[in-house]
């Protein structure tokens, strides 16, 4: 007979993951802001659902797929900014939550007319 202890279940909400992604995105200086499409904004108003605009978390089996919509500063190397964001999100969210990230999809919805802030 095997003596097995169960500590219980751990659940991390999509809202927590969304907030993590929002902080990571906000700390990337070439990103001006996150973007929410018109349909997403209206559905949040009608449903009363909160969360970060431009971030959608989708559970896939035992992993998570993250979609992020962003607006970048003019002059940014867009493909490099997106790859850097993908890697940061995967590294930090997996490290902080222990949840496997299946994919981080970045959608660039726009570009600001001003250049990104220089390093001070």
């Amino acid at each position: 007979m095997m003596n097995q202890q169960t500590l219980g279940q751990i659940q991390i909400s999509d809202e927590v993951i969304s907030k993590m992604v929002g902080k990571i995105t906000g700390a990337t200086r070439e990103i001006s802001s996150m973007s929410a499409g018109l349909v997403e904004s209206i559905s949040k108003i009608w449903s009363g659902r909160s969360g970060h605009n431009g971030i959608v978390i989708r559970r896939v089996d035992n992993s998570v797929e993250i979609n992020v919509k962003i607006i970048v500063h003019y002059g940014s190397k867009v493909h490099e900014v997106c790859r850097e964001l993908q890697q940061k999100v995967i590294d930090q969210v997996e490290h902080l939550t222990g949840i496997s990230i299946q994919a981080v999809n970045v959608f660039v919805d726009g570009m600001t007319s001003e250049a990104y802030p220089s390093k001070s």
Side-chain angles (χ1 to χ4, degrees):
M1 183 166 150
M2 199 183 310
N3 186 8
Q4 188 176 20
Q5 281 188 328
T6 303
L7 296 176
Q9 187 177 35
I10 297 172
Q11 291 184 0
I12 299 172
S13 74
D14 292 352
E15 175 109 6
V16 169
I17 296 169
S18 180
K19 285 183 181 181
M20 287 179 185
V21 174
K23 290 214 177 269
I24 296 164
T25 303
T28 305
R29 73 183 176 98
E30 295 91 353
I31 298 174
S32 171
S33 62
M34 288 181 282
S35 171
L38 180 62
V39 173
E40 181 182 352
S41 297
I42 291 171
S43 71
K44 283 185 178 185
I45 290 169
W46 282 98
S47 69
R49 194 180 72 175
S50 64
H52 283 86
N53 287 338
I55 300 172
V56 177
I57 308 298
R58 193 171 75 105
R59 303 279 176 158
V60 181
D61 297 323
N62 292 327
S63 63
V64 172
E65 179 180 290
I66 300 170
N67 295 325
V68 184
K69 293 180 182 179
I70 61 171
I71 297 174
V72 297
H73 287 289
Y74 177 79
S76 301
K77 292 183 179 178
V78 177
H79 65 287
E80 290 178 10
V81 172
C82 293
R83 291 281 181 234
E84 178 184 338
L85 180 61
Q86 288 173 315
Q87 197 59 56
K88 282 182 181 177
V89 168
I90 290 168
D91 292 346
Q92 292 182 32
V93 172
E94 283 185 346
H95 175 74
L96 294 172
T97 65
I99 296 171
S100 175
I101 305 301
Q102 183 181 54
V104 176
N105 303 307
V106 180
F107 302 93
V108 180
D109 271 0
M111 181 175 280
T112 60
S113 58
E114 69 272 357
Y116 63 88
S118 60
K119 292 181 180 178
S120 303

